[in-house]
Structures are given as structure tokens and as C-alpha cells.
Amino acid sequence: MVPGARLVILGKQGAGKGTQCVRLARHYVVPHISTGEMFRSAVKAGTPFGQKAKEFMDAGELIPDDVVIGVVNERLDQDDTKHRGFILDGFPRTVHQADALAEVLAPVGLDLAIDLEVPTEVVLRRLAGRRVCQDCGSNYGPDKPPKEDDICDVCGGEVIQRRDDTDAAIRRRLELYEKETEPLISWYLARDQLVTVDGMGTPDQVTARLIRSIDTRRERRHAR
Ligand code: AMP
């Protein structure tokens, strides 16, 4: 296996990106960089930045590009990402963010951007029942509740409903996904960097599909 990986995971909220990114990060031994998690930590820490971010997040709105790009660039400049690579989850979300990422990664670039595809009616159902650990971000749902009520199986933290998983915020996030993020699929396709992976099935089936697609593309890329 070629060591490390440089991946972007696209997909609607509720497509299973969080769960799959944790698994892929373990498989390829690379940091999982979730911008949503970074912002939720800032909110929890009560920093001035966190207080500002909270207003956008609770309404399901996007945090302004310049702010997000600054936070991600800083993270990508650390030793672990420079040496091993990364899995970006929730970034880029706009064409402007994709342009900025391409610029900061040049000349090496990405291995691959993956579109994790799940129908909208399925993500709506998943989001309505979704709960997360407020400490480590592990996801739970009606099909996968914590073993003990409200206690995270992974770290023992409290399992809660996300503040932005209200009907109005969910609707707004999906609207913004269509308008701002879906164009990235053509953006990466035009650069021959996109693979679409079916996100339906058990988490194990989806992980196996993802690893197969990623390995095929990376071997081809590294053989050039
Ligand atoms: P997520 O956990 O990826 O669903 O992100 C939660 C919230 O954080 C989003 O609804 C946005 O308010 C904010 N956010 C996360 N990533 C980004 C991004 N790349 N650009 C703008 N806002 C973001």
C-alpha cells in the first residue's frame, strides 16, 4: 500500500462522511480533519471565534470562506499533515474554498475527491434521528444507539442531539449543499480527481467500497 493519503470527502449532511472518515483515517493512518468538529470545539471552548461561529452553525449557514480557509490552511501546515496527508471532511464546501485548497496543496495536489452518494430522503431520515458524542464526535442513530443510554461507547462522553440538527437548520444546510457544494462535483470531475461511491449499505460495506476506489486511483496515480 502507498503510505498516507490526501483525500477530500464530499457528500450531503447525513451521508455518513463522519463515520467513514474516522474509519479511513485509521486505515490510511492520516489525520481526519473535520471543519465542523473544529468549529464545534471552538464553540464548546467559548472562544470569541467560537461565539461568532455558533451563530452561523445554529442557523445552518456557512461560516465565511476567508475564516474557514484560514483555519484549514493553518491545520494543513502542521507536520502530521505535511508528512502523512489528510482526510478533509466538510471542506471544501464552496468553489472558492476548493480554489484555495488547490493553491495551498500545489504542486502535489490531492489523491482524490470522493462524492459519497446517498439519496436526499435517506439523509433526511438519518439526520432526524442523529445524535453525537459531545466529546469525541462519534455518531449514533436509531439503527446504532449507544450501548448505554446517552453515554458514548468510544469515550464515555455524553451523547446529545446536535444543536444544528433542527428541521429548519437541516433544510437550510441541504439547500446550501445543493447551491454551494454540489458544483464541486463538476469542479473535481473537470480535473479528473473525482470518484463517486455509493453510500448505501452497512458501514462495513461502504468502507470496503471506499477503500477499493481510493486504492485503485492512488495506485494509478503513483504508477504514473
Ligand atoms: P458539519 O459538521 O460539517 O455539518 O459542519 C457544521 C457547521 O459548521 C456547518 O453547518 C457550517 O455552519 C460550519 N462549517 C463546517 N465546515 C464549513 C466550511 N467548509 N465552510 C463553511 N462553514 C462550515
Side-chain angles (χ1 to χ4, degrees):
M1 192 177 84
V2 185
R6 295 155 73 91
L7 304 168
V8 158
I9 313 287
L10 303 170
K12 300 182 191 85
Q13 296 81 12
K17 294 191 299 292
T19 303
Q20 293 301 330
C21 284
V22 169
R23 290 163 164 241
L24 293 176
R26 216 177 289 143
H27 182 83
Y28 293 106
V29 199
V30 290
H32 168 202
I33 303 177
S34 155
T35 42
E37 277 307 317
M38 288 162 99
F39 297 137
R40 276 187 288 280
S41 300
V43 170
K44 212 167 129 198
T47 61
F49 168 67
Q51 283 166 15
K52 195 76 209 136
K54 182 171 172 298
E55 289 170 28
F56 289 99
M57 295 169 80
D58 284 355
E61 296 293 336
L62 292 179
I63 293 173
D65 279 342
D66 291 355
V67 175
V68 186
I69 290 166
V71 168
V72 172
N73 283 356
E74 210 172 285
R75 182 64 188 86
L76 290 177
D77 198 34
Q78 288 171 19
D79 284 347
D80 57 346
T81 42
K82 280 206 269 194
H83 292 134
R84 298 277 325 160
F86 49 82
I87 300 183
L88 279 169
D89 166 10
F91 182 94
R93 247 174 163 102
T94 64
V95 167
H96 186 52
Q97 293 180 12
D99 282 330
L101 180 64
E103 195 177 313
V104 82
L105 295 182
V108 182
L110 280 183
D111 286 332
L112 194 59
I114 298 160
D115 176 25
L116 189 59
E117 208 177 43
V118 172
T120 302
E121 63 273 15
V122 175
V123 302
L124 281 171
R125 216 170 36 236
R126 287 186 186 169
L127 288 171
R130 172 164 86 171
R131 292 190 304 147
V132 295
C133 170
Q134 64 170 351
D135 289 338
C136 73
S138 293
N139 277 301
Y140 297 92
D143 308 341
K144 188 199 153 210
K147 290 195 187 89
E148 257 185 82
D149 270 357
D150 304 336
I151 297 175
C152 176
D153 297 348
V154 179
C155 75
E158 193 187 352
V159 174
I160 55 161
Q161 184 169 46
R162 263 172 57 167
R163 299 176 53 94
D164 58 349
D165 277 349
T166 60
D167 280 354
I170 289 172
R171 258 202 316 276
R172 179 66 183 145
R173 296 211 310 276
L174 285 171
E175 209 174 272
L176 279 172
Y177 184 82
E178 258 177 43
K179 183 164 164 261
E180 303 284 354
T181 312
E182 236 158 40
L184 294 183
I185 293 172
S186 336
W187 195 96
Y188 281 115
L189 204 55
R191 286 155 183 81
D192 192 25
Q193 288 182 322
L194 188 89
V195 162
T196 299
V197 173
D198 178 6
M200 296 297 286
T202 65
D204 285 349
Q205 286 168 336
V206 178
T207 308
R209 247 177 245 147
L210 283 165
I211 290 173
R212 243 188 340 262
S213 297
I214 295 167
D215 286 351
T216 306
R217 282 298 287 245
R218 292 171 71 236
E219 275 156 23
R220 220 170 76 190
R221 183 166 187 234
H222 286 272
R224 271 185 207 151

